[in-house]
Amino acid sequence: MPLVWVCSPKGGVGKTTVSANLAYALARSGSKVLVIDFDVQNALRLHFGVPISDLRGYVAQATTAVDWSQFILKADANLFVLPYGEVEEQQRLAFEHALSHDPHFLQRGLNTVLNYPGLVIIADFPPGPVPALKAIRPIADMHITVMMADTASLSLLPQMENHKFLGSIMNDKLGEYYIVNQTDMRRNLSRDVSQFFEQRLGDRLLGTIHRDECVPEANASQRSIIEFSPVSAAAFDIELISKKVGAIIGIKVGDGEIYAAPNHGIK
């Protein structure tokens, strides 16, 4: 059960879109993939065809429900999503308080999926050092930070490298990696920043994703970029990144194995 967490020190970098499309790519390759939304905006579900009127999620009952897998929605044959859901302010505060003060809260709620054989879990977080990030750190296998090819992201890189984002090493298992999103090689600044990231990060850079108008169009149609425009530059970039992620977390892609499903949630 590899658990990959995706975050960013700032908003507006396309982190949720990257998380969703990475999940699509891994599921398309044959892995069972669960995507978990830790962002109160509850937007991740929209990438998986969940109607905007569907307000189901796990957070509203997270402090009372023993097993959060009962709130999982099936998006495709190998693809599942655990939405944040619609919550009242008190429910959100109770959730965040439990994340901050109960060291076993997250692992207890996710116990069923954490023990599901062969499942890849991608956790998408809101920008900044939120409580959920510190809570998931002990059980996460791989960490991915999404940046943009701009000076704002560039200025935040030292903070990430010096472990000031969470006050500790982000991941001491399979490591910390980066994705640079919305690179536009036609613009000098974007090209220069992208090249700096490549030189500075080396193997820690999983790849860059080109700025592509097909991406927002795919989002609007609630489809992955790979389905919407398989020959687009962004689709090609995501495919390459998904293969690198698969190699790092050691998943067997398309091995033909059928695993026993738990009692509920993922089937």
Side-chain angles (χ1 to χ4, degrees):
M1 181 292 309
L3 194 162
V4 179
W5 53 312
V6 183
C7 72
S8 176
K10 76 183 194 76
V13 300
K15 171 188 51 58
T16 297
T17 298
V18 170
S19 298
N21 281 282
L22 178 59
Y24 269 111
L26 291 171
R28 183 170 174 263
S29 298
S31 298
K32 283 191 179 296
V33 182
L34 169 66
V35 192
I36 304 175
D37 193 355
F38 283 93
D39 194 332
V40 70
Q41 293 184 61
N42 195 30
L44 182 65
R45 66 196 167 105
L46 302 178
H47 291 268
F48 299 97
V50 178
I52 196 168
S53 59
D54 190 335
L55 304 179
R56 289 177 293 174
Y58 71 100
V59 172
Q61 301 179 59
T63 57
T64 56
V66 176
D67 184 0
W68 300 347
S69 69
Q70 62 186 293
F71 305 110
I72 292 173
L73 306 179
K74 187 172 183 177
D76 209 339
N78 288 329
L79 195 54
F80 306 84
V81 58
L82 184 55
Y84 190 97
E86 184 78 5
V87 297
E88 301 291 337
E89 180 70 2
Q90 288 302 316
Q91 293 170 328
R92 180 187 66 80
L93 292 174
F95 177 65
E96 293 181 356
H97 181 271
L99 286 171
S100 300
H101 295 86
D102 183 348
H104 304 294
F105 174 66
L106 198 61
Q107 191 160 2
R108 193 163 55 241
L110 295 174
N111 184 64
T112 297
V113 295
L114 290 174
N115 289 287
Y116 189 101
L119 178 70
V120 178
I121 301 175
I122 296 176
D124 180 53
F125 293 87
V130 295
L133 281 175
K134 293 185 178 181
I136 205 169
R137 182 191 172 279
I139 60 174
D141 298 287
M142 177 183 180
H143 164 250
I144 298 174
T145 298
V146 179
M147 309 288 260
M148 278 186 69
D150 60 14
T151 53
S153 289
L154 192 62
S155 68
L156 291 169
L157 183 59
Q159 181 186 102
M160 305 301 294
E161 290 184 316
N162 295 329
H163 310 302
K164 293 182 178 179
F165 185 59
L166 287 185
S168 64
I169 294 175
M170 298 283 278
N171 188 281
D172 54 9
K173 294 181 181 177
L174 298 178
E176 306 170 20
Y177 295 87
Y178 293 81
I179 293 173
V180 178
N181 193 28
Q182 298 188 33
T183 298
D184 189 344
M185 292 302 178
R186 298 168 299 179
R187 299 180 180 274
N188 291 336
L189 178 61
S190 181
R191 183 173 61 251
D192 291 345
V193 172
S194 296
Q195 289 174 349
F196 178 86
F197 275 127
E198 290 174 3
Q199 294 169 3
R200 179 66 170 261
L201 297 172
D203 292 340
R204 291 183 295 153
L205 181 65
L206 294 171
T208 58
I209 302 174
H210 287 83
R211 186 178 183 87
D212 192 327
E213 290 304 315
C214 290
V215 174
E217 293 174 6
N219 292 348
S221 66
Q222 293 190 306
R223 298 165 65 192
S224 72
I225 184 60
I226 295 170
E227 293 174 324
F228 184 82
S229 182
V231 296
S232 67
F236 179 76
D237 296 334
I238 288 287
E239 284 278 17
L240 287 180
I241 289 171
S242 72
K243 286 179 171 57
K244 289 184 179 180
V245 171
I248 292 167
I249 62 180
I251 60 172
K252 294 182 179 179
V253 176
D255 60 3
E257 286 192 57
I258 300 176
Y259 299 103
N263 293 329
H264 43 258
I266 300 173
K267 298 180 180 178

